[in-house]
Amino acid sequence: MTTSTLASILRHGALALTLAATAATSTAEPAAYWSPSWMASTQPIWNGDFVLPTGLPFQFNRQTVRQVARLSIGGSRLRVVISNEGGVAPLYIGAARVARHAEGSAVVEGSDRPLRFGGQADVTIPPGARLVSDPVDIAMPALGEVAVSLYLPRPSQPAGFHFDARQIAYVADGDLTNAERLPAAATQWSTRVYVSGLIVETPQPPTTVVTLGDSLTDGNGSTPGANTRWPDALAERLVGRNVAVLNAGISGGRLLKDGMGRAGLERAGRDVFAQPGVRAMIVLLGTNDIGWPGGPFAPNEPAVRAEAVIQGLRQLAEMAHAHNVRIMAGTIAPTERALEGTPLEGHYSPEKDKVRQAVNRWIREGGAFDAVVDFDAVLRDPARPSRLKAAMDSGDHLHPGDAGYRAMAAAVDLDALLGTPARP
């Protein structure tokens, strides 16, 4: 298959078509399947007048970008998904390599492998497209960390961008894709570019759970580099069941409207239902739909009504069931004192909290979902239910810390999530 054919297949998120389970050619060989193991939802790069900076350089040129991600399930071989979504020009990658991650910018000695695309070491990705690499013979365990290095020899503007990686990325001058460690002078930042997925070869068909959410799912407030987001902890719980957990959280994400990413109702098709083997999803959205209007993120927007959020969640449930995907909904956490004392405060008001509580009542009692996980009950202060419990708070009164995220993952009923009996 040519690179242009691959680009055409993948342009509109039809990743599931390319990665459908494929048996080995010989009946004497065991079957093998391609299973998604990690993802980062891509976001359009916003304009310079938005309240937050992107944290990205204007362009890369004759530089190596090295990024790290942790798999949820392991496999005998690996593929890497590269995204030029949001790009306005073709993206040329001069060289790419993958390795087991050691620490910092270092990789495990002897684990380094070249990435190829249709047998070629370099590749051009059209604007808006994703490409999947050829298989790489590198066995990876569940919860193993992977480092992907891309060399960009031409001026390349960032695209396929993910704002809040909670993981350091490294940029160094020259083609250092095969270096075991990048130089100390390498630039560091905490966003992702271009690398949007990791896929592993497994002996069984894929079983996938996708978590669709905002900054609480993206892990804002968790320790950078420690993999302590609640989807990370959920992946650890599901390792024994060979179930992949894909984090489709976007900081600043909203259900009904674009925020710091496309609206949840729009991106569910690409980020959730197009994933191979998706059995279930967990949705945690609504915080920013309720909290942004009238504040620094959306100063000119009118207040959102509970009925609008409820209708959006109901539609998401209908979409999931139409795709034969189970859906678990999380209740919305309290926000009193959110980002207090910063230029970004404004998520909370007593009126907004009434909307939140009305939505939560419907989530718990409305019967639209296959299951509910009561994150609000897990995180709230019993003495002040409109606030996060101090032990769960990262300190900004909006996002949980590591302990809060562990508690969120522990609250998920795995049997209710996956269904009983589990689907084949």
Side-chain angles (χ1 to χ4, degrees):
M1 182 180 293
T2 66
T3 297
S4 61
T5 303
L6 271 173
S8 177
I9 290 174
L10 296 172
R11 180 181 298 273
H12 298 294
L15 192 57
L17 297 177
T18 304
L19 303 175
T22 53
T25 55
S26 170
T27 57
E29 298 176 354
Y33 304 85
W34 287 105
S35 301
S37 185
W38 172 88
M39 70 172 287
S41 294
T42 56
Q43 305 167 244
I45 295 177
W46 48 80
N47 295 327
D49 58 355
F50 187 65
V51 68
L52 289 176
T54 63
L56 286 170
F58 171 71
Q59 67 179 19
F60 305 100
N61 187 17
R62 291 178 288 182
Q63 291 175 308
T64 296
V65 181
R66 179 168 291 176
Q67 298 169 88
V68 175
R70 189 179 78 162
L71 298 170
S72 55
I73 58 171
S76 55
R77 294 194 295 170
L78 179 74
R79 293 179 187 259
V80 178
V81 183
I82 308 296
S83 171
N84 193 21
E85 293 164 282
V88 296
L91 171 65
Y92 177 69
I93 296 174
R97 301 185 75 89
V98 64
R100 297 188 187 94
H101 178 236
E103 59 179 357
S105 69
V107 301
V108 175
E109 183 179 359
S111 70
D112 181 52
R113 302 284 189 277
L115 284 179
R116 299 196 182 279
F117 300 84
Q120 303 300 309
D122 63 341
V123 66
T124 298
I125 305 174
R130 295 184 190 182
L131 292 188
V132 181
S133 76
D134 299 346
V136 179
D137 290 324
I138 179 171
M140 290 296 305
L143 308 179
E145 289 194 342
V146 174
V148 180
S149 302
L150 306 177
Y151 176 55
L152 305 168
R154 302 172 184 170
S156 304
Q157 293 189 348
F161 152 78
H162 187 88
F163 172 70
D164 192 9
R166 313 309 294 175
Q167 180 76 52
I168 299 299
Y170 303 86
V171 182
D173 293 337
D175 182 359
L176 300 178
T177 52
N178 63 352
E180 287 186 12
R181 182 185 292 273
L182 298 185
T187 301
Q188 301 182 17
W189 83 93
S190 60
T191 53
R192 293 191 187 277
V193 287
Y194 308 129
V195 179
S196 66
L198 297 170
I199 305 158
V200 295
E201 190 176 59
T202 58
Q204 67 284 326
T207 303
T208 306
V209 170
V210 185
T211 61
L212 181 69
D214 50 38
S215 57
L216 272 73
T217 298
D218 214 10
N220 193 289
S222 66
T223 301
N227 297 304
T228 52
R229 314 164 189 86
W230 72 262
D232 296 325
L234 181 63
E236 292 164 7
R237 294 185 63 201
L238 286 168
V239 161
R241 302 194 188 196
N242 296 313
V243 174
V245 176
L246 306 184
N247 188 336
I250 285 181
S251 290
R254 297 196 282 181
L255 173 68
L256 303 174
K257 293 184 177 182
D258 292 354
M260 290 163 60
R262 298 299 185 199
L265 284 172
E266 177 182 343
R267 65 187 184 90
R270 178 195 64 189
D271 286 353
V272 181
F273 305 128
Q275 298 298 336
V278 60
R279 176 175 293 174
M281 65 180 293
I282 304 175
V283 57
L284 177 57
L285 283 168
T287 295
N288 297 318
D289 294 82
I290 298 167
W292 274 26
F297 288 92
N300 299 318
E301 284 188 12
V304 72
R305 298 168 62 241
E307 291 79 8
V309 179
I310 289 169
Q311 180 57 28
L313 290 171
R314 191 193 306 276
Q315 181 58 35
L316 199 57
E318 296 292 345
M319 292 166 62
H321 293 146
H323 285 85
N324 299 309
V325 172
R326 292 181 62 79
I327 181 168
M328 174 181 281
T331 52
I332 303 169
T335 61
E336 186 178 354
R337 301 180 62 208
L339 306 175
E340 187 176 63
T342 78
L344 301 178
E345 67 178 317
H347 272 71
Y348 176 83
S349 72
E351 293 74 21
K352 290 178 179 180
D353 200 58
K354 289 177 183 177
V355 174
R356 179 186 71 89
Q357 293 190 43
V359 173
N360 281 350
R361 279 194 300 273
W362 177 81
I363 291 172
R364 295 183 185 107
E365 302 169 6
F369 305 100
D370 298 292
V372 170
V373 54
D374 201 342
F375 290 141
D376 174 41
V378 169
L379 297 172
R380 71 188 178 213
D381 184 344
R384 193 71 180 262
S386 57
R387 295 184 182 182
L388 292 176
K389 188 185 304 182
M392 302 292 180
D393 195 341
S394 67
D396 68 4
H397 313 308
L398 178 61
H399 302 100
D402 293 348
Y405 286 130
R406 285 193 298 271
M408 291 173 69
V412 175
D413 183 324
L414 300 185
D415 292 330
L417 173 65
L418 298 174
T420 305
R423 294 178 183 144

